[in-house]
Amino acid sequence: MTRFILTRLALLVPVLLGVTIIVFVVMWLVPGDPATSILGTFATPENLAKVRSELGLNEAMPVRYAIWLTGVLHGDLGQSYILHRPVLDELLDRLVPTLLLAGASLALCSVVGILLGIVAAIRQNAWPDRVITLVVLLGVSTPSFWLGMLLILWFAVRFAWLPAGGMQDMFGPGGPGEIARHLILPTLALAAVPAAVLVRLTRTAMLEVMRQDYVRTARAKGLREGRVILRHAFLNALVNVVPIIGIEAGYVLGGAVYIESVFQWPGIGRMLVNAISTRDIILVQGGVLIVAAAYVVINLLTDIAQGVLDPRIRNA
Amino acid sequence: MPNVPRRPFLLGLGAATLAAAPITEGRAQTPPNALVIGHLAELQTLDPAQAITVSDFRILSNMYDGLTRFRDASLEIEPGLAASWSISPDGKTYTFKLRDDVTYHDGSRFDAEAVKFNFDRVLDKSHPYYHTGPFPFIFTLGPIQQTEVVDPTTVVFHLSEPYAPMLTMLAAGVGSIAGISPAAVKKFDREFSRHGGGTGPFSFQLWESNQRVVLVANKKYWRGAPKLDGLVFRPIVEETSRVSGMLSGETDLTIEVPADNVPELKQDKRFTYYEQQGPHLWYLMLNTKQKPFDDKRVRQAVNYAINRQGIVDDLLKGTATVAASVTPPAFNWAYDKALAPYAYDPAKAKALLAEAGYPNGVDVTFYVTQNGSGMLSPVLMAAAMQADLAAVGVRAKIESYEWNTYLGRLNGGMHAADIAEMSFMTTDPDMHPSLALRTGAAVNSGDYSNPEVDRLIDTARAETDTGKRAELYDQLEHIVHDDAPWVFVCHWKQNAVASVRVKDFFLMPSFGTRFDRTYKA
């Protein structure tokens, strides 16, 4: 198991390196640079030349990448062109809100998705299954940012139960309760689609497992139905569901870009949107690096969980 | 049967709680009677020498003063940190007499040495704090060669050539570098952009990335203490979310609500709707170097062909006014009210086209941006104009690009394009003509050239008498209107919505915001 984890951790390095090279090249291919973005309609040739030289944009692309990478290896993610501050500081400010939102959404979609999936499977073709299937269809086909706007209209504007956006009250004392209240709507909006996907997959996995011989054997032994479903069917179905949770983590981190914009959630997603439109390549690099690392680590965790659940994978 | 270990899960939960701890500290710092503002963008810097966006200056204008300043709701200037000034006859030397009763937020004293420090910092590459840059918009202040301290309340600016816009540019956003505290720059160094420090009615308290910027009232403000305890700027980039913030009562005021929501908000009794002319022009550049727009009649024809009132009323819901020429009416002192915009007259447009030798119409390429600062709704507007042009026989093929790409394509001329959308905002009527209409000027992408226009731009730039200068801009306006190097489309009006409790608020044409007399009833 230790070797398995170490191997996976070592793979992290080439993955992240590849991601940064791709991002750097893409940002370089996209027309415009921080200087054109800063100067806008004032982008005269002299002004551009001056700002470019002050920002160090005159170096060739590979040289700039090498400078950036050398910095990263020394723990320096560089300085944002637009925000005039170290990228690392900006990322640290924003990492926790993003992890909070992504984590809450992932937890919610896993719990709801798996529970509803089990219910749908054990009541196959009865009314609970049909209701759940219908809700899931709606969930899968609803764009998350639109759902977010609807939630704001109902729960913040119409009923005024929950805040329309932000992470804390402007006048409140702060604290976890306040953050939790602000977290509810964005979490719901972000969790809807992955939850729906998980319901479908859990249902299918459960149905398959429940047709297996050992489930019939368990029933034949006279075990209670609840025990058959949880111990014999569900835990085996979980082996197939856990990797999907890892993939959903990617969806949640990506979807956070929209949801953070709709709810003004102060996370990395929104920062990336701004940074891309202002061509703040160093900030984009830093943000993508963190998001990619988070994705890889979550996938690693789900792989480990799968290994724990299934000895065939662990010992392979 | 697999054994699921539970401890790592609990550890993870503990770690998450610990991670959340830093963001729950340091709260309760919002002063009680503060105004909460739904702000259109995230703050980028608290240093007016570095700031590049209108939205940043809307915050900074509360922390800093300039040597001159704009009168309330006007683009005319009045004394600021300088109580008076004189200009040498050759227009190259400006002498400012400074107020002696101004202190910075940090308690240090404002004087001529401070002004010199602030201008040296951004102009002199060998200055010990030049590295706190870059300072991309300092060039708008003029060809300043050096500043000289005569005595603690007298500072002299030496220019390499006359530059009449100097006084208005000193009143504008970048001009407020005069009110930066040198002590704060020395203390924070490269971190100055995260702290700031000036002379204005509000001082910096707290900046939580992407959450809020809190300013508190400067009780010792030299114009008198503000009535509010503080200002909270909450970045709400999505425009529909800014409206939700108002509807849910989470913000007291928001600047720039989308045109589509204006009718609804105007009717709502909970809110007051504000608007103000902006020194803004939305126009179509025409490629005057090649056919068909090398012919003035064709340029006039497209001006007649487009139903601008329709665009302003239907697409922009009255958040703009129809433009007549290069100078926006926001320049109340330099704008000729008598000049009427081109009428919407498709028949006349067709006649002019026929006269110019295009009786069967003409095919053109039309560059359209998909977004961009000051560009309003560029795609919808382009579609409407394309239809109007087609009705008179100008068949425009649209090519659309994302803003940064778009600007890149227009850099150094329009090349393959015949028509291109553009907009411009400035606080002096010199800036736009001299950058975009003068022969060979840097962003004159349509390659327009008219010796009489060049002469007027140059003469006005050197004319220090405001009345005479205004007359020159009137002439310029008329010539440019007739010669039609552009299609003058519209001038955008800024808008704001506030709770009815908010009193004594007004918008400034300069895009600054002044909250020192605003209060909540």
Side-chain angles (χ1 to χ4, degrees):
Chain A
M1 192 73 194
T2 318
R3 217 180 117 217
F4 168 75
I5 296 175
L6 286 178
T7 321
R8 294 299 304 264
L9 278 177
L11 276 173
L12 197 68
V13 177
V15 167
L16 291 183
L17 201 65
V19 165
T20 62
I21 291 174
I22 291 170
V23 171
F24 213 87
V25 170
V26 168
M27 286 294 285
W28 176 71
L29 287 174
V30 171
D33 65 12
T36 58
S37 158
I38 286 171
L39 290 164
T41 48
F42 290 88
T44 66
E46 309 86 77
N47 287 342
L48 277 175
K50 182 165 174 281
V51 173
R52 280 196 181 125
S53 87
E54 278 167 0
L55 293 177
L57 295 173
N58 286 334
E59 303 284 356
M61 196 270 285
V63 177
R64 275 159 55 200
Y65 181 77
I67 294 173
W68 178 80
L69 192 63
T70 316
V72 171
L73 294 178
H74 290 88
D76 175 11
L77 292 182
Q79 178 96 3
S80 158
Y81 295 125
I82 307 289
L83 296 174
H84 312 279
R85 78 185 295 217
V87 168
L88 190 61
D89 292 1
E90 187 68 18
L91 287 176
L92 289 178
D93 276 358
R94 306 208 184 218
L95 183 60
V96 172
T98 290
L99 290 183
L100 211 55
L101 176 60
S105 302
L106 202 57
L108 182 71
C109 78
S110 308
V111 171
V112 171
I114 289 172
L115 278 181
L116 290 184
I118 294 174
V119 172
I122 59 181
R123 292 278 177 270
Q124 191 190 5
N125 295 332
W127 70 265
D129 184 27
R130 281 161 206 264
V131 171
I132 289 169
T133 310
L134 184 73
V135 172
V136 161
L137 188 68
L138 285 174
V140 171
S141 44
T142 308
S144 54
F145 65 90
W146 183 77
L147 180 64
M149 275 145 81
L150 273 193
L151 290 173
I152 291 175
L153 277 182
W154 289 340
F155 297 105
V157 175
R158 187 96 175 265
F159 302 121
W161 290 341
L162 290 165
M167 194 172 76
Q168 287 167 304
D169 290 339
M170 288 299 112
F171 293 95
E178 202 178 290
I179 293 177
R181 234 163 28 83
H182 284 78
L183 191 59
I184 294 172
L185 293 184
T187 303
L188 285 175
L190 189 52
V193 173
V197 171
L198 275 172
V199 171
R200 282 184 166 181
L201 288 164
T202 309
R203 180 177 177 273
T204 314
M206 281 294 285
L207 287 176
E208 193 159 311
V209 171
M210 280 162 70
R211 276 198 292 269
Q212 300 289 324
D213 289 346
Y214 59 83
V215 173
R216 197 168 27 174
T217 309
R219 284 196 176 121
K221 279 199 301 187
L223 289 178
R224 274 179 294 113
E225 184 65 11
R227 194 175 166 83
V228 173
I229 285 166
L230 279 181
R231 287 279 168 97
H232 293 257
F234 171 63
L235 279 181
N236 282 297
L238 201 57
V239 176
N240 295 321
V241 173
V242 159
I244 306 301
I245 296 180
I247 292 170
E248 295 299 349
Y251 175 86
V252 163
L253 286 168
V257 172
Y258 310 111
I259 294 300
E260 286 179 5
S261 292
V262 172
F263 288 93
Q264 310 118 51
W265 191 259
I268 286 179
R270 264 193 65 188
M271 183 201 78
L272 278 175
V273 175
N274 291 348
I276 290 168
S277 62
T278 54
R279 303 287 189 269
D280 198 343
I281 183 166
I282 301 288
L283 195 55
V284 175
Q285 283 282 40
V288 170
L289 195 64
I290 292 285
V291 173
Y295 180 64
V296 174
V297 167
I298 293 174
N299 262 289
L300 175 64
L301 291 177
T302 57
D303 283 354
I304 294 171
Q306 212 182 356
V308 170
L309 287 169
D310 190 343
R312 286 169 304 182
I313 294 171
R314 182 173 49 207
N315 300 326
Chain B
M1 196 193 63
N3 213 346
V4 182
R6 288 193 180 75
R7 204 170 297 132
F9 174 71
L10 289 176
L11 275 177
L13 204 68
T17 320
L18 273 179
I23 51 173
T24 59
E25 281 170 5
R27 296 291 298 178
Q29 292 194 68
T30 308
N33 183 32
L35 192 72
V36 181
I37 298 143
H39 197 61
L40 79 163
E42 277 181 60
L43 181 65
Q44 294 178 343
T45 176
L46 285 165
D47 180 355
Q50 290 180 338
I52 56 176
T53 62
V54 166
S55 64
D56 273 11
F57 284 119
R58 285 201 197 274
I59 296 178
L60 299 183
S61 57
N62 295 288
M63 288 176 60
Y64 301 90
D65 296 293
L67 292 175
T68 56
R69 76 165 202 166
F70 294 112
R71 292 204 176 114
D72 285 353
S74 163
L75 282 171
E76 289 169 90
I77 52 162
E78 63 181 10
L81 292 174
S84 64
W85 53 83
S86 61
I87 307 168
S88 68
D90 66 358
K92 289 179 14 180
T93 310
Y94 283 66
T95 307
F96 292 94
K97 195 76 190 157
L98 306 178
R99 299 184 66 96
D100 62 358
D101 58 349
V102 179
T103 51
Y104 288 110
H105 300 148
D106 54 28
S108 59
R109 199 146 191 87
F110 167 80
D111 58 15
E113 285 293 350
V115 175
K116 183 170 169 55
F117 176 95
N118 288 327
F119 281 85
D120 285 352
R121 173 171 81 109
V122 298
L123 295 169
D124 175 7
K125 286 200 163 92
S126 62
H127 190 269
Y129 294 93
Y130 186 81
H131 68 276
T132 52
F135 312 111
F137 283 91
I138 294 302
F139 77 93
T140 62
L141 294 175
I144 302 169
Q145 270 188 326
Q146 58 158 333
T147 48
E148 179 195 340
V149 175
V150 176
D151 62 55
T153 58
T154 311
V155 64
V156 179
F157 285 67
H158 297 283
L159 313 187
S160 57
E161 53 189 284
Y163 185 65
M166 173 102 174
L167 291 175
T168 47
M169 295 321 291
L170 284 173
V174 183
S176 63
I177 63 165
I180 291 175
S181 161
V185 173
K186 288 173 188 163
K187 179 176 168 196
F188 298 117
D189 197 29
R190 269 179 177 282
E191 287 277 294
F192 178 71
S193 68
R194 299 288 298 183
H195 298 270
T199 53
F202 294 89
S203 66
F204 173 67
Q205 165 125 6
L206 176 70
W207 177 0
E208 288 174 328
S209 274
N210 205 351
Q211 290 202 65
R212 56 177 180 163
V213 175
V214 181
L215 308 183
V216 285
N218 169 13
K219 299 286 182 208
K220 291 189 222 149
Y221 184 49
W222 55 279
R223 284 181 191 274
K227 293 182 181 166
L228 291 162
D229 291 343
L231 303 173
V232 182
F233 292 91
R234 247 184 92 168
I236 309 181
V237 181
E238 279 291 308
E239 48 181 23
T240 47
S241 301
R242 282 206 291 287
V243 177
S244 315
M246 287 305 295
L247 292 174
S248 66
E250 283 167 51
T251 51
D252 296 315
L253 182 145
T254 192
I255 297 176
E256 286 183 36
V257 294
D260 285 335
N261 294 90
V262 166
E264 166 203 1
L265 290 165
K266 262 183 175 168
Q267 278 177 4
D268 197 320
K269 295 227 174 345
R270 291 173 294 169
F271 305 122
T272 319
Y273 179 76
Y274 301 85
E275 58 183 20
Q276 175 67 260
Q277 280 285 7
H280 164 275
L281 174 67
W282 199 109
Y283 60 104
L284 298 178
M285 284 194 295
L286 303 173
N287 194 340
T288 63
K289 264 284 164 299
Q290 63 189 47
K291 282 182 184 307
F293 294 119
D294 57 344
D295 188 322
K296 172 169 138 183
R297 289 168 297 189
V298 183
R299 301 198 295 263
Q300 289 179 333
V302 290
N303 268 288
Y304 282 116
I306 290 170
N307 181 1
R308 280 162 288 195
Q309 196 63 50
I311 290 173
V312 162
D313 292 343
D314 301 336
L315 289 181
L316 304 174
K317 314 280 179 202
T319 57
T321 54
V322 172
S325 185
V326 57
T327 310
F331 292 108
N332 42 348
W333 60 275
Y335 171 75
D336 185 5
K337 288 184 195 67
L339 182 65
Y342 279 91
Y344 171 48
D345 192 344
K348 190 157 186 180
K350 272 189 191 164
L352 280 166
L353 279 169
E355 200 186 310
Y358 301 98
N360 303 317
V362 60
D363 293 287
V364 294
T365 304
F366 183 6
Y367 273 11
V368 172
T369 176
Q370 288 155 3
N371 56 320
S373 138
M375 293 307 296
L376 311 179
S377 307
V379 177
L380 288 175
M381 290 166 78
M385 292 189 289
Q386 186 187 33
D388 286 346
L389 290 173
V392 301
V394 178
R395 296 170 295 270
K397 186 168 86 55
I398 288 183
E399 285 182 26
S400 80
Y401 303 95
E402 179 271 343
W403 180 236
N404 267 296
T405 314
Y406 185 80
L407 290 174
R409 290 194 86 89
L410 290 179
N411 213 326
M414 285 167 75
H415 310 292
D418 303 295
I419 307 179
E421 296 183 328
M422 191 43 70
S423 80
F424 201 89
M425 284 187 267
T426 171
T427 43
D428 192 278
D430 164 73
M431 188 68 72
H432 196 194
S434 62
L435 275 175
L437 281 177
R438 210 186 172 290
T439 305
V443 294
N444 181 355
S445 304
D447 270 324
Y448 178 62
S449 176
N450 180 335
E452 182 58 10
V453 166
D454 293 352
R455 189 190 64 78
L456 283 168
I457 293 171
D458 294 348
T459 320
R461 176 176 265 238
E463 177 57 66
T464 52
D465 180 300
T466 308
K468 286 185 191 154
R469 233 184 123 206
E471 269 171 42
L472 292 167
Y473 288 124
D474 281 0
Q475 289 179 39
L476 180 76
E477 237 177 281
H478 283 268
I479 293 173
V480 171
H481 168 87
D482 178 67
D483 212 13
W486 302 336
V487 176
F488 311 100
V489 179
C490 65
H491 305 294
W492 172 59
K493 282 189 281 187
Q494 319 168 57
N495 65 23
V497 170
S499 147
V500 286
R501 290 178 59 211
V502 175
K503 306 289 182 195
D504 283 358
F505 169 74
F506 54 89
L507 287 163
M508 296 283 293
S510 64
F511 298 106
T513 40
R514 234 164 240 182
F515 289 113
D516 54 332
R517 278 159 292 154
T518 306
Y519 63 98
K520 283 204 272 188

